[in-house]
Amino acid sequence: MNFGRITGAAIVGTIVYYIFGAIGGALLANAYRPYAGIFRSRDVIMGYLPYGMAGTLVAMFVAATIYAWGYKAGGIGRGLGFGVLLGIFVIFACVMHDYVIINVGRDVELVEALGALVGWSLAGAAIGLVYRPGAPVRP
């Protein structure tokens, strides 16, 4: 495992995730409008953004480390497959959970599920593209 490459992969994964989030958020903002009493306004969200970015960076470090443990070769295809699995995990561990406990409609949760699947898939592809295992250590 190469910690420098894990760090690079985590940083690039975070950047890709937030670029997608900005584009997707702008395109799908109308889905959240009926639930203005539940979600923070865009202005307030911007004040919390550093916390979200820090949390996402930590999550990307975890994801890049798991990738490094499980995949002995890098590559965008393997990273994409890894990201799809992460996206599916997030949908069923978080999005479905939120649908049960937060008073929002199916439309918002479908947007959230789509965002999780695409965002984590792209982040996984970025991790796979950036992370390359180090040369094997010979005894």
Side-chain angles (χ1 to χ4, degrees), residues 6-27:
I6 288 172
T7 300
I11 291 168
V12 171
T14 301
I15 291 167
V16 167
Y17 188 85
Y18 269 86
I19 289 171
F20 165 73
I23 294 167
L27 293 174

Side-chain angles (χ1 to χ4, degrees), residues 2-139:
N2 184 308
F3 292 106
R5 292 180 180 144
I6 288 172
T7 300
I11 291 168
V12 171
T14 301
I15 291 167
V16 167
Y17 188 85
Y18 269 86
I19 289 171
F20 165 73
I23 294 167
L27 293 174
L28 301 170
N30 286 337
Y32 294 90
R33 288 203 205 311
Y35 308 100
I38 296 171
F39 293 103
R40 299 181 200 274
S41 69
R42 185 171 272 321
D43 293 338
V44 175
I45 288 172
M46 296 310 283
Y48 284 89
L49 193 59
Y51 299 111
M53 292 180 96
T56 302
L57 181 61
V58 170
M60 290 298 169
F61 268 104
V62 171
T65 301
I66 293 169
Y67 182 85
W69 282 346
Y71 291 82
K72 300 306 175 203
I76 195 166
R78 287 180 188 234
L80 181 62
F82 174 70
V84 168
L85 288 174
L86 285 176
I88 292 168
F89 174 79
V90 169
I91 289 168
F92 288 99
C94 300
V95 176
M96 292 291 293
H97 178 267
D98 287 350
Y99 181 60
V100 170
I101 64 170
I102 299 174
N103 190 19
V104 294
R106 220 176 326 181
D107 55 341
V108 169
E109 292 309 319
L110 289 173
V111 166
E112 290 285 317
L114 178 65
L117 184 61
V118 175
W120 280 102
S121 295
L122 293 173
I127 288 169
L129 189 63
V130 172
Y131 182 79
R132 298 280 185 243
V137 178
R138 298 180 189 254

